[in-house]
Amino acid sequence: MTKKYAVSSQGYYGRFGGAWIPEMLHANVEELRCCYSEILNSASFQREFHTILQEYCGRPTPLTYAARLSELYGYTIYLKREDLNHTGAHKLNNTVGQILLAERMGKTRIIAETGAGQHGVATATVCAMRGLSCVVYMGEVDMARQEPNVKRMQMLGAEVRPAKSGSRTLKDATNEAIRDWIAHPEDTYYLIGSVIGPHPYPDMVARLQAITGEEIRSQYIEKEGALPTAIIACVGGGSNAAGAFYPFLDEPSVRIIEAEAAGKGIDSGASAATSILGKEGVIHGCRTLLMQDDDGQIIEPYSLSAGLDYPGIGPLHAHLISTGRAEVYPVTDAAALQAAFLLTKQEGIIPALESAHALAILDICSFASGDGIVVNVSGRGDKDMATYISAMEETK
């Protein structure tokens, strides 16, 4: 990343980031901080990483011209098809990279947390491919609404451990994973799935996911001969958005647009619009924007999308939003469902609920007829079919 938005040596983006961790986690994080950059920059790592992305994951993913959607809205719309990755989401890019890193650190046991299940499936998949032990923590509520992904992880050989505290969602699964890591520092690597957590995780995940934005840049220039007008992505923690935006952050002509989950509405008390409703604080090892009450207690978020109901946002995104580089808009459950059904009928693509939030921005933002827009379709909608079926039944 260029200097303006690069992480500092202490892990900060502006005033956000850092490593706010308990003393007993210090050795784990410090071991990772000391070696990650050298390993990621090494020629052998880059060679193996890109070979697996190409031959196993199916990269590069297409940049698909959405002809009928473009005609409907009156400007040029492309879809970055991360849903066509092996396992059905962008999560695999980061997982491959971190597991190659873990192997080079001598770790033999991988732990992870997951919300919608896509990160857990990606982790279980690569662990199976590399013959590594895998434990995935998942909130009980998320396990119930994402049961097919739970079964996929178990079929791949992973142990899925339920988080039964708090709201029994992603936040609580993350807490359980951190406790496990503290208890098993010698052989265990904690594979965080988003641009959240103590430094160096936000920087590391963004760099591994940047393959998405690098492909968008080269593919769009090849098709249109210029840079796009805007890139749109959804943000919970924000890994797919960070990857899509990364190569464009110092391109002021390219609008960076983030879609947050507004749930039942910003003022409904059932929302996950962190950057709008949140305040500065510390969550899961980094200083960022998070939803909290006046006493600093975390407010339970809500979204129809299991991948977006997280009470914080990655520190890179907090910095981009606070400096005005990124625009952020709330998207309700209803608007996301409407966008999902529209894409399905117009282009024959069923998106993940997370991606549907990004697509809903097309009805919120204004663009000119000559503009070229890229929407990051971060995952496919198979895992959300129960929600879509329920929504269809309600409209009969």
Side-chain angles (χ1 to χ4, degrees), residues 1-15:
M1 189 187 297
T2 53
K3 290 182 179 178
K4 188 172 182 180
Y5 296 102
V7 72
S8 73
S9 60
Q10 298 301 310
Y12 282 90
Y13 302 93
R15 62 182 183 274

Side-chain angles (χ1 to χ4, degrees), residues 56-57 86-88 92 95-96 99 117-132 134 136 152-153 155-158:
Y56 185 76
C57 304
H86 177 46
T87 74
L92 198 61
T95 300
V96 168
I99 285 181
Q118 292 297 81
H119 172 56
V121 168
T123 302
T125 297
V126 183
C127 283
M129 179 184 74
R130 306 296 282 195
L132 296 169
C134 180
V136 178
R152 290 169 73 191
M153 286 184 269
M155 186 173 178
L156 288 159

Side-chain angles (χ1 to χ4, degrees), residues 196-217:
I196 199 79
H199 177 66
Y201 281 104
D203 178 50
M204 180 167 58
V205 176
R207 289 167 59 176
L208 293 171
Q209 290 289 10
I211 184 70
T212 303
E214 291 164 2
E215 289 178 4
I216 291 174
R217 186 183 184 103

